[in-house]
Amino acid sequence: MKIEDIKSIAVIGAGDMGHGIAEVALMAGYKVFLRDIKQEFVDKGVSRINQSLEKLVSKGKVEQGLFDRIRSELLVPCVELGDAVREADLVIEAVPEIMALKQETFGAMDKLAPAHTIFASNTSTMKITEIAAITKRPEKVIGLHYFNPAVLMKLVEVIRGEKSSAESMQIGYDFVLRNAKVPVRVEKDVAGFIVNRVQAPAGVLLNAILDEGKIQPEQIDAVMRSIGAPMGPYETMDYTGLDISYHGSLYFAKTIHPDFACGKVIQAKVEAGELGKKTGKGLFDWSNGRPEIDLSKATDQFDLMDLVVVNVNEATKIIAEGACKLEDIDLAIVNATGGMGPMALVKNIEPADMTKRLEGLAARWGKEIFKPTQMIKDGQYR
Ligand SMILES: NC(=O)c1ccc[n+]([C@@H]2O[C@H](COP(=O)([O-])OP(=O)(O)OC[C@H]3O[C@@H](n4cnc5c(N)ncnc54)[C@H](O)[C@@H]3O)[C@@H](O)[C@H]2O)c1
């Protein structure tokens, strides 16, 4: 099968991610069957798509003619799974992040979809191999990991499960290109794939600083804001939701290394229901909108490059595992976040300095995961 054979798509789950993934495929002219478990959930997904498309039409980014076609024929809302997948050449699953639910969904789709249909999961963390194992077509199962909001963020990670075929990977890659997005291949389904995995150690360091309590979140965010970043790291944690950070920590601690365990401050916040922006309070107070960050509070006790070097160190681990190539790291992170890539930022730092810095951080914070890898010592990060 080739990309030209992919004509109809099914998106399973019409929530935050599903409706956005569907919208992107519709904008590329694909017929999209959008399924959720209740009519009201599908209707909500459809209305979110229509509202977003209306804005894009008014800005001249989508043609009125395409929007009319989307409403009259291209977008097909469904509640029955069979109705959604029966005609689909590619299915993208975006149901909640619960393995049993994903497996149940893939098992049912396997029986209802045509034999040629490729299945993709938008999971942020789970192993594609484990999801694929429930089907009789593991070679046709891949990961297509979009970023939130899917309409805006350019990156889609195209993930190979242990049994995914080269043909399925190629179709996934080409499909992402046809959706005007940037595909990056992840050749092994390592925990967190590229973007979430490479950025995780900075989260560990930020948690350690919080728990120590000597420097306050505002003091570090002020440093970041004073160099022109739109948001500091702690405000970003609040913005995304401290529960997301908490669950991510639990998963990484279990699957990669106990050092990824959630810090005490964040855990207490989550237990108190203070999840950040969505609850009005987290590390900052959001009751009157975005927190005011006083730039005069910027600390000189912390160097932002520490956040970068621990991430670069982690990047070398997944490169060594064969998940991706060095140049994919920045390509992925720049297109997922709109920020700068960590590899470009350390290009001029000598291996001996990187090594010393990471050894210092590992000792200072008691974190084995910060210890420099052989690739760092050998200068294989630039
Ligand atoms: N939100 C993010 O930032 C983000 C980013 C990348 C990937 N993801 C991943 O995308 C997936 C979906 O996350 P989300 O944020 O869109 O969640 P969400 O809760 O907003 O949406 C999930 C939708 O799936 C529906 N659903 C539940 N069971 C279903 C079933 N059996 N069939 C069809 N629909 C079903 C729910 O009713 C809901 O509308 C998860 O795997 C998540 O990890 C999320």
Side-chain angles (χ1 to χ4, degrees), residues 257-276:
H257 193 286
D259 279 356
F260 284 100
C262 186
K264 290 190 183 63
V265 172
I266 299 290
Q267 184 165 350
K269 290 268 173 203
V270 171
E271 281 165 6
E274 295 177 7
L275 306 181

Side-chain angles (χ1 to χ4, degrees), residues 30-252:
Y30 285 100
K31 181 163 187 175
V32 177
F33 296 85
L34 179 62
R35 191 252 171 168
D36 210 303
I37 44 177
K38 283 191 183 167
Q39 190 62 46
E40 62 190 279
F41 299 156
V42 195
D43 291 346
K44 189 169 173 212
V46 170
S47 85
R48 288 173 85 180
I49 292 174
N50 284 335
Q51 276 168 18
S52 167
L53 286 172
E54 263 164 33
K55 269 194 212 148
L56 292 170
V57 168
S58 72
K59 288 183 187 161
K61 291 187 175 164
V62 169
E63 286 184 14
Q64 182 66 46
L66 175 59
F67 186 27
D68 294 342
R69 263 187 75 216
I70 287 172
R71 279 191 295 196
S72 62
E73 56 172 304
L74 293 183
L75 176 56
V76 187
C78 322
V79 174
E80 292 304 321
L81 186 62
D83 292 343
V85 302
R86 201 168 292 123
E87 274 182 47
D89 305 304
L90 169 68
V91 180
I92 305 172
E93 164 275 316
V95 305
E97 191 77 344
I98 303 163
M99 182 52 89
L101 179 61
K102 300 225 183 247
Q103 287 191 327
E104 183 194 314
T105 306
F106 274 71
M109 291 182 339
D110 198 29
K111 296 192 180 80
L112 296 165
H116 74 271
T117 307
I118 292 179
F119 293 167
S121 174
N122 182 50
T123 176
S124 326
T125 54
M126 292 174 170
K127 286 210 168 286
I128 302 303
T129 307
E130 210 176 323
I131 299 171
I134 206 82
T135 72
K136 295 199 172 70
R137 62 179 94 194
E139 74 289 353
K140 292 194 188 301
V141 180
I142 58 172
L144 284 180
H145 184 214
Y146 290 72
F147 287 76
N148 193 12
V151 176
L152 291 183
M153 306 319 287
K154 286 267 165 229
L155 180 71
V156 182
E157 293 175 330
V158 184
I159 305 139
R160 187 192 286 277
E162 272 167 31
K163 296 198 172 155
S164 315
S165 68
E167 183 182 284
S168 304
M169 283 292 286
Q170 191 61 46
I171 288 177
Y173 188 92
D174 292 342
F175 177 72
V176 173
L177 283 179
R178 290 206 172 193
N179 280 256
K181 297 282 174 196
V182 176
V184 171
R185 288 173 193 272
V186 188
E187 296 290 352
K188 282 196 174 164
D189 58 355
V190 290
F193 314 128
I194 299 177
V195 174
N196 292 340
R197 171 69 178 272
V198 169
Q199 296 189 311
V204 172
L205 182 51
L206 289 165
N207 266 274
I209 294 168
L210 270 181
D211 286 356
E212 191 186 56
K214 287 188 185 156
I215 307 175
Q216 297 311 305
E218 187 175 13
Q219 294 178 276
I220 289 184
D221 277 21
V223 179
M224 192 85 136
R225 292 281 295 275
S226 49
I227 58 162
M231 215 182 250
Y234 288 114
E235 189 184 343
T236 304
M237 282 165 87
D238 259 2
Y239 182 82
T240 320
L242 298 182
D243 52 329
I244 304 273
S245 153
Y246 173 72
H247 289 298
S249 306
L250 289 185
Y251 177 74
F252 282 171

